[in-house]
Amino acid sequence: MFLGWTAVAAVNPQALTQLGNAGPHGFSEMLYLYTSSTGNNKSAFAGISANTMFFNITGAVAMFVGRFFMIIPAMAIAGSLVEKKSIPASTGTFPTTGGLFIGLVVGVILIVGGLTFFPALALGPLVEHLIMTAGTLF
Amino acid sequence: MDTSKLRKRMPVSTLFDPKIVGPAIGQAFVKLNPATLIKNPVIFVLEVVTALTTVLLVRDLVQHHTDVGFTFQIVLWLWFTVLFANFAEAVAEGRGKAQADSLRKTRTETGAKRILMPDNYEVYEGVSAEDLQAGDLVVCEAGDIIPGDGDVIQGIASVNEAAITGESAPVIRESGGDRSAVTGGTTVISDRIVIRITSSPGSSFLDRMIKLVEGAERQKTPNEIALNILLIGLTIIFVFATATIPSYATYAGGAISVVILVALFVTLIPTTIGALLSAIGIAGMDRLVRFNVLAMSGRAVEAAGDVDTLLLDKTETVTFGDRLATEVIVVPGVTEREAAEAALLASDADETAEGRSIITLVQEKYNVRRQVAPAGAKFITFSAMTRLSGVDIGARKLRKGAIDSVLKFAREQAGHDVPEPPTFRAAVDKIARSGGTPLGLAEGSRILGVIHLKDVIKPDVKDRFAALRRMGIKTVMITGDNPVTAAAIASEAGVDDFIAQATPEDKLRYIRGEQTQGRLIAMCGDGTNDAPALAQADVGVCMQTGTQAAREAGNMVDLDSDPTKLIEVVEIGKQLLMTRGALTTFSIANDVAKYFAIIPAIFLTFYPQLAVLNVMQLATPQSAILSAIIFNALIIIALIPLALKGVTYRPIGAGALLRRNLLVYGLGGIVLPFIGIKAINLLVNALHLV
């Protein structure tokens, strides 16, 4: 959701006029807007005019799918798990307490999430930071 | 676990046997056919994008673009990646076929003597073994090869099953009872039997096993299906991640060539595990056959990996089937020698194993020599009614048998009530409590003593049970004996629990009870009365010496008839799942390094500052991309041996095992590509390939 809409906005001329800042910062603005729409509450950077027709409609679609539509698959997973038998613990059971489990969950989230969003992040926040430390601002 | 004691029938071929590798290379090209490749979604997607880039390459060649050399090499290595994936599967199948061929050799062109009339077993015609249908009756005599799987319905013969089991000592097959099943391909050594064929041509036990080992009719197991769904999901995510990049590039003011995007996409999708997944499954089944276990489905093997409880019969599994005599206990007033001689004479004509063991015991322990029976000796054979056996020599009447029968005999001989000698009852109780069977010995009206018959436990069994316990599997022994005897044998053998005085219905009830509690239960059995329990159990292992009904009911057959073979089956089941998990982790962890190679390479033209991400210090963007692609292809070949051999299983708990594997394959998967890609990059630059 975030990646798709960011891609659309990046080439849409109407959207581009709404950006307050150019270059990577502008990109980060769009990326953040859609990230926030899909996962949270469509907060946005100050530089972008978020209350415009283009961003309002696209942001709303992103929110509808990302926040509400996602409820259906999550409930389906829960429903499928409820029907499974519960097996008593034994030495073959993987403990869900303890450092190993925490480490595994965090690691998987970081790696799989990272792999998905790394290109976008590289083009937005990352490169902006590097440029900023070299002296140029947007 | 000491594997040296287990006889492995098939020789372990070296991993890159030229006889297998050659045809596998050819097969790799054959498998390029999209219709077959679609079964492996990740590699199919790979093939599609590779075809796309080939088209682009051709277009570039025609239009004389400058960068053709680079594009050509990328396309070349993409095709190599697809071929390597096919090669991995072909090698696994090749090894399976080699085993299938040796299994097939046992099914030579045999003839059969089919009986024409069901009421006359003497008249038969000669037909080919392939023409036999289920329900036909055939005669097999000494020297004949049994034409198909079936049950003996008349006669008794000794059969050499070396062709199937590799065991050269012949076994007895007889009608009725538990030893009536015969397998096609074995040879009758002596006597004559009439067999009812139970399998139609092409679907005998051996045929099904051959198909399974060859991988031809392999269905995807639940674990494989789940893993495939995960891989497809990841691939879809990466399609999005890659497809959105051109718009970002446009925003940043430039364009990225499709070939480079494809290169990024290919390195991201889990090609490593996608390539090796089917090879892992096939290799797992082969390993099972190498341990002389024939499994009916891959599902059974995976279920075995999760088994919680193992149900074992006492007779023929925990103990040897026959009891052996271990001592003769005398009552006061009788010398040991006297009792020993009496026992010897009473057992002289006894053909049972118990009788012969008494003779051996007396000869070895008490040093009494066996003499020719004096003339006029009348042997009394064992009868189920009197429960006695013995000999009458002139006026001496010697008897041995069940305690109460011997006492009754003594009373009859004396004509009046004979008191039990003082220590007699104590000795009988002591024997019963220790798990043995007491056999009374009497001469006329005089009680001489008690012979101690012991159930002998198979030697390695205790260690094997300990190994099962370490894996977290509970062992339960089932026997028809009384609770006292059962308790003694259970504690000596080292099983966790036992059920005494059990009927076949009790076995079924126990299995169902465990299953409602959510546990997976495995059962070993051989008799027809075990069939319902074998069918109900999650993993039913039937012994090779078992009946046809038991084999049909179970989902595995152990050719060595060793009930603790389940240890190996569980190991292989767990290994299968572990290998899949380890390689999936490795594949995804690899992506981290590949990103660090390709992202700076792609975006460097827009934002030179991104060069700081180039942690490997790769020379040029193009060499970076090429190195990553080459690494992606070569890692498949490098991991084929691991996929075929399987990750080593250690019987430590699940948490410890996971931690260890995560370190090796997760961390290793993150670190190794950095080194690999850098090394390849150095080579690429040295050779000026780009």
Side-chain angles (χ1 to χ4, degrees), chain B residues 37 40-48 81-82 85-86 270-271 274-275 636:
Chain B
L37 203 54
N40 190 345
V42 175
I43 304 297
F44 179 71
V45 166
L46 181 62
E47 190 180 38
V48 166
T81 314
V82 182
N86 291 341
T271 46
I636 296 179

Side-chain angles (χ1 to χ4, degrees), chain A residues 3 7 23 27 91 94 115 123 127, chain B residues 247-248 251 472 595 607 654-655 658:
Chain A
L3 294 177
F27 186 75
T91 48
F94 175 51
L115 292 178
L123 278 180
V127 82
Chain B
S247 346
Y248 304 161
Y251 173 83
Y595 253 144
Y607 296 115
L658 183 62

Side-chain angles (χ1 to χ4, degrees), chain A residues 91-92, chain B residues 466-473 567-568 570-571 574 649 651:
Chain A
T91 48
Chain B
L468 280 170
R469 207 170 299 124
R470 270 200 301 274
M471 281 190 201
I473 300 179
I567 294 179
E568 276 73 38
V570 167
E571 267 194 25
K574 286 192 200 274
Y649 171 73

Side-chain angles (χ1 to χ4, degrees), chain B residues 630-648:
Chain B
I630 294 179
F631 179 81
N632 202 31
L634 290 180
I635 194 73
I636 296 179
I637 296 282
L639 286 177
I640 289 182
L642 182 64
L644 293 179
K645 204 167 74 86
V647 167
T648 333

